[in-house]
Amino acid sequence: MSFKFVKKVISPSELLQMYPIPEKDAIVKKERDNQIKEVFTGGSDKFIVIIGPCSADNEDSVCDYISRLAKVQDKVKDKIIIIPRIYTNKPRTTGEGYKGIVHQPDPEKEPDLQEGLIAMRKMHLRAIAETGLTAADEMLYPENWPYVEDILSYVAVGARSVEDQQHRLTISGMDCPAGMKNPTSGDFSVMLNSCVAAQGNHTFLYRAYEVQTSGNPLAHTILRGAVNKHGQSIPNYHYEDLIRLLEMYNERDLANPAVIVDANHANSNKLYYEQPRIVREVLHSRSVNSDISGLVKGVMIESYIEPGNQKVSNHVYGKSITDACLGWDESEKLIYTIADHL
């Protein structure tokens, strides 16, 4: 019933010194950041597609996948900004199972947080260098932000973290769009209150320092569906849900109202193959209501090279070892479908 301090891990400054972002890639990231931010501030009418594996479990297959995305991005660049998901931290409902590459650089070996932090940064840097696409990651552990703050273009706060004060306050110090998911209960008020907190300025303890933040005006909402007391999934991507969210935004004094619709999780009842249908419905809702079109800035899709998921021991290249994902062929078609309907 106590903590065992195993070893002191590498500091953010040491890791950034060991694996700095090359100047040419830093320029690419700055350009990408500006393009993405313009979508959330209303300066651009491009559509955001945040897409990629449930968990970024293998550097080679993840970078292979993102290289494929980069070719598609070039074809749809006039309408869509693709942000690849490189999710290196994975929340586990019961605390069991694979927690992401930060915990286990090799999913079949024991946790090694030191090597995990290195693997996380190396994967993100390789993806930028090989594809020119800067990524999204989940901010599961607020203390990890300094390890990746110079390489991420988007951050998401998950349904289990969005009510946590440390997450909200840390987001208030970030200079990138941050999506706050609705909690598993589905309560929109919790999600919007999280945005209020993240957009405000705060003083708090962070990594052994008293820090002050100026607020993040790009904090926004993500709809991912809910789960009721019987364990049943309740989707919240329908037209009526978007209207309700719009009305609740209008009741609050929030900068840059925006929502990203997560097509998987409780919105699809984790039936990954339903994601294209859900995305098409969201696009239809945007097409019939200009206010919804202005609010819905993009979608989030779980996708990998091979469809479905597998046990860690199966070793199928490019197939998820956590939640089931859409395969590449369907994913590519879906991105072109999105572009055709914008």
Side-chain angles (χ1 to χ4, degrees), residues 11-13 15-16 29 33 37 88-89 102 117 120-121 124 135-157 166-167 169-178 204 206-207 213 216:
S11 70
S13 59
L15 184 60
L16 269 64
K29 181 181 182 294
D33 286 352
K37 289 176 182 179
T88 57
N89 311 272
V102 168
L117 290 168
M120 170 181 68
R121 187 165 176 87
H124 278 286
D137 203 344
E138 179 167 351
M139 192 46 53
L140 183 59
Y141 305 109
E143 296 83 359
N144 284 358
W145 173 242
Y147 291 103
V148 290
E149 63 180 329
D150 61 329
I151 52 178
L152 287 184
S153 286
Y154 186 93
V155 164
V157 175
Q166 187 76 356
H167 283 81
L169 302 190
T170 304
I171 294 293
S172 75
M174 295 182 182
D175 184 31
C176 71
F204 59 102
Y206 185 71
R207 297 187 63 90
T213 59
N216 184 349

Side-chain angles (χ1 to χ4, degrees), residues 5 39 41 44 78 92 190 207 292 317 319:
F5 289 82
V39 174
T41 58
S44 168
D78 292 339
R92 312 307 300 183
V190 169
R207 297 187 63 90
I292 288 179
Y317 179 81
K319 191 170 188 176

